[in-house]
Amino acid sequence: QRKEWEKLINEPSETKDGHEVELAANIGTPNDMEGVLSNGAQGIGLYRTEFLYMGRDQLPTEEEQFEAYKTVVEKMEGKPVVIRTLDIGGDKELPYLDLPEEMNPFLGFRAIRLCLERTDIFRTQLRALLRASSYGNLKIMFPMVATLEEVRQAKMILAEEREQLIEEAIDVSEDIEVGIMVEIPSTAVAAELFAKEVDFFSIGTNDLIQYTLAADRMSEKVSHLYQPYHPAILRLVKSVIEAAHKEGKWAGMCGEMAGEETAVPLLLGLGLDEFSMSATSVLPARSQIRSLTKKDAEKLVEEALTLSTADEVAELVKEKGFI
Ligand code: PEP
Ligand code: MG
């Protein structure tokens, strides 16, 4: 099967009725680029920059970060690269930052919350990103956004760093898209408000599912409640995509769900524009998409949205012959 998939490396991710989507890869470090290129990913949908900060005893410098971001955008040769600003906290700790011990780290001081307080760390990263932007198609994404104030504040700091670089006569791309992860229910529910102030959404289902069902994504004991196909998740994903499109923005997904065989036809039917997954899932997903029509996927999801449980949804996808 691998041989069949390999033929699709340079083929479009297009349905039989001519609807094209982007199949992108998630990466953690520039070392992952080999897998991205050999699997024919059309972009990077999520670069988790926290790994640059982990496994060491001090913050990475602006220069170190710049080199990492530049390497990735250059290797993608103009294809889109969505770089997420630091998403530390939750399960990912940085011993040298001396963060507070919390009862509920997943609900605590992490990601954009931390960056908006430790603006020294945030500004250094934004400078590195802005400098790297002139070497390719770099997009900036903020994680764990819960309120519009966070988006506005983050964008304001970004604009200030941009001005500063221009003053220093350093090249910065003119038109960097700025988007957010939609992974907190407040943002998913009010997506139409956020869509007016960002260039794109990327739905982070790993967190969105855990917060919506109140089921820790790391807990064995409640893993039966961690349900990607729960009617609530399908409805949220649908309305987030619609909210983006209503404002002429694009919507992607970079949680694990985006690469699942059962999810692909449903997400296609809901109109998802970009699917970002582990590099090894890109070719199987492309093969699957090329075997479908958008029309059939739309019919499938319409019926899925009438069902009451996750099991019924997954069963329907099978029953209708989509997997
Ligand atoms: C997500 O929450 O879906 C996501 C992609 O981010 P992470 O897995 O890094 O939390
Ligand atoms: Mg997340």
Side-chain angles (χ1 to χ4, degrees):
Q1 210 166 12
R2 174 82 210 167
K3 271 242 144 26
E4 283 305 305
W5 287 337
E6 271 171 10
K7 291 184 193 149
L8 302 176
I9 283 184
N10 296 311
E11 295 299 319
S13 308
E14 188 178 2
T15 60
K16 288 198 286 189
D17 52 353
H19 175 75
E20 239 188 293
V21 296
E22 180 193 330
L23 291 186
N26 295 347
I27 64 167
T29 84
N31 297 332
D32 298 336
M33 287 306 294
E34 204 182 319
V36 169
L37 299 171
S38 65
N39 284 285
Q42 293 158 294
I44 305 288
L46 170 64
Y47 177 177
R48 290 183 166 98
T49 59
E50 45 277 10
F51 294 104
L52 263 169
Y53 295 72
M54 293 161 70
R56 45 188 294 150
D57 50 22
Q58 61 194 15
L59 289 163
T61 63
E62 177 185 321
E63 213 52 37
E64 275 176 79
Q65 295 190 56
F66 166 67
E67 285 301 331
Y69 307 151
K70 175 168 170 279
T71 301
V72 171
V73 293
E74 280 185 338
K75 286 201 169 151
M76 287 310 284
E77 298 179 328
K79 295 191 192 83
V81 176
V82 178
I83 306 188
R84 180 173 76 181
T85 60
L86 181 60
D87 183 4
I88 212 68
D91 57 328
K92 298 170 218 141
E93 288 179 50
L94 288 189
Y96 57 86
L97 271 194
D98 199 24
L99 297 174
E101 282 254 350
E102 296 176 294
M103 286 269 273
N104 294 299
F106 273 107
L107 302 180
F109 188 55
R110 58 175 294 196
I112 195 72
R113 302 165 181 192
L114 184 147
C115 284
L116 291 176
E117 196 169 303
R118 288 292 309 269
T119 49
D120 55 324
I121 297 174
F122 194 39
R123 285 180 190 275
T124 302
Q125 181 169 38
L126 293 176
R127 268 183 73 94
L129 288 168
L130 287 162
R131 285 174 56 199
S133 70
S134 57
Y135 295 86
N137 185 358
L138 185 154
K139 303 173 197 290
I140 296 176
M141 176 159 77
F142 302 125
M144 295 297 296
V145 167
T147 69
L148 259 173
E149 287 95 325
E150 290 167 328
V151 177
R152 290 175 184 158
Q153 225 179 316
K155 283 177 68 176
M156 202 176 71
I157 295 172
L158 177 64
E160 285 171 8
E161 290 309 317
R162 185 171 209 290
E163 282 312 304
Q164 178 63 33
L165 284 168
I166 291 168
E167 224 165 88
E168 293 171 31
I170 294 172
D171 276 347
V172 178
S173 164
E174 293 275 323
D175 47 3
I176 306 171
E177 286 189 15
V178 178
I180 57 172
M181 297 273 306
V182 178
E183 53 184 341
I184 295 182
S186 62
T187 302
V189 170
E192 58 183 283
L193 304 175
F194 290 81
K196 294 186 202 308
E197 304 197 22
V198 300
D199 298 314
F200 66 90
F201 288 151
S202 187
I203 306 172
T205 47
N206 304 343
D207 280 313
L208 187 61
I209 296 165
Q210 95 164 334
Y211 294 130
T212 303
L213 285 120
D216 187 334
R217 64 194 254 192
M218 322 286 271
S219 165
E220 250 336 292
K221 211 59 198 149
V222 295
S223 60
H224 62 290
L225 292 172
Y226 189 89
Q227 300 178 356
Y229 307 108
H230 188 290
I233 299 298
L234 292 187
R235 281 162 173 71
L236 280 178
V237 170
K238 175 177 195 273
S239 76
V240 169
I241 296 170
E242 284 173 356
H245 289 175
K246 205 166 145 232
E247 294 296 328
K249 313 292 168 70
W250 61 269
M253 178 179 287
C254 59
E256 285 304 309
M257 186 177 178
E260 281 172 19
E261 206 184 359
T262 303
V264 167
L266 295 167
L267 298 172
L268 190 66
L270 290 175
L272 191 74
D273 303 294
E274 178 235 41
F275 298 59
S276 194
M277 55 194 72
S278 66
T280 51
S281 299
V282 167
L283 291 174
R286 181 167 299 149
S287 160
Q288 189 183 7
I289 284 169
R290 290 169 63 88
S291 75
L292 302 174
T293 66
K294 173 94 180 330
K295 203 154 167 269
D296 289 341
E298 281 169 357
K299 259 194 264 165
L300 172 74
V301 81
E302 197 180 313
E303 190 171 345
L305 284 161
T306 67
L307 302 176
S308 316
T309 70
D311 280 348
E312 288 170 14
V313 172
E315 200 46 50
L316 177 77
V317 178
K318 261 197 224 138
E319 209 177 89
K320 296 281 173 186
F322 281 82
I323 56 170

